[in-house]
Amino acid sequence: GVFEWLAQYMEDTRKADSLDANSVVSILISSEFLRMQPLTEACLRYMSSNLNKVLRLPFDLGCLSSEIVRRLATHFTDEELDTLRDKRNKLQGRLFAHKLQDFLSDDDNALYSCVYCRGLFTARQREVTTCPNASVFIDFHGRTIAQHVASTDWDVGGYVQHCHECLRLSWREIYWRLWGRVQLFRCAACGEHFSGAELGHCAYHPEAPVWQAAPRGHIGRYPCCGQEAARFGKVPRAAGCCARDHEAVAPQSRAAAPAEGPVGREDPAA
């Protein structure tokens, strides 16, 4: 039994080498209860390496404590967790829930909701992306800027709860949805920055603008849709009547921020 196994472990810690898929869950629960930290960690290492074997067995893994599941989640990369074969969702959902909690606790991943477009953005993304509904102004360098403004009555916890309870999204789906929203790329085609969740939102006009004669040669229209065009002025660069996939270049870190991006105040709610 389990207690006999634990007694043998206390006499010789090399007993941990005999852990197998049939015994590891009960020994893990017992070792946590008895605060046998080295054994608990050995069980977590075994489970992380053999979880698909454990998932195939008729065990109720709901008895694992939240702390154990949290610690087990740290043993997996996102890709490893995503490839678990857990058709009955005995454990994968809980693991993704803890991954999500840790992911959102990182200040760089803090999300805000824009009062104008209701889109989600990070503080870093606000500096280089355009809000389609915000008022446009021109900075000292002649660049058109339309920045997101954070809503003060929105919080990511409520959003996650809505996704899980109302939209019935799994923790895996919510994790990847928010992971994609946080990633920042630049498009080689349109020159705009975008989040991973906006891959298919590269706006463009299929026809070139037709410009008026002088002295109004700086104003024109796109024949494809009739939208106004301007060589300079308050027309955001991302305007377009059609959409295609962005041509993404490598994600950028904050240290690699482009000098040409719009610069705003540090507070996203400003």
Side-chain angles (χ1 to χ4, degrees), residues 33-172:
F33 177 76
L34 297 172
R35 299 183 180 181
M36 301 170 69
Q37 290 302 324
L39 179 56
T40 299
E41 187 58 34
C43 291
L44 290 172
R45 288 195 302 269
Y46 180 87
M47 282 194 68
S48 65
S49 300
N50 300 274
L51 191 52
N52 282 321
K53 292 181 181 179
V54 176
L55 290 172
R56 287 197 294 266
L57 297 174
F59 294 152
D60 178 14
L61 299 181
C63 57
L64 295 177
S65 70
S66 179
E67 175 61 16
I68 283 295
V69 177
R70 184 195 67 79
R71 290 174 61 182
L72 182 59
T74 64
H75 286 257
F76 291 92
T77 65
D78 295 347
E79 293 79 9
E80 289 171 342
L81 187 55
D82 197 55
T83 57
L84 279 180
R85 296 189 294 273
D86 189 9
K87 294 181 179 180
R88 297 184 180 181
N89 196 23
K90 296 163 68 175
L91 191 58
Q92 187 185 48
R94 293 180 66 193
L95 292 170
F96 264 114
H98 284 284
K99 278 279 189 182
L100 178 64
Q101 185 177 18
D102 289 343
F103 180 76
L104 294 177
S105 66
D106 188 333
D107 289 342
D108 289 339
N109 299 332
L111 282 166
Y112 307 88
S113 176
C114 179
V115 297
Y116 296 128
C117 68
R118 302 298 180 187
L120 303 184
F121 64 96
T122 65
R124 171 72 186 103
Q125 290 169 348
R126 179 179 183 268
E127 298 175 4
V128 294
T129 57
T130 299
C131 174
N133 298 339
S135 298
V136 180
F137 68 92
I138 303 175
D139 69 6
F140 290 109
H141 301 284
R143 297 186 296 251
T144 56
I145 299 175
Q147 289 186 318
H148 295 292
V149 174
S151 171
T152 58
D153 59 0
W154 182 91
D155 72 277
V156 70
Y159 174 79
V160 169
Q161 184 177 9
H162 173 77
C163 288
H164 187 60
E165 297 181 0
C166 299
L167 301 183
R168 301 296 182 182
L169 297 180
S170 68
W171 290 117
R172 174 180 175 271

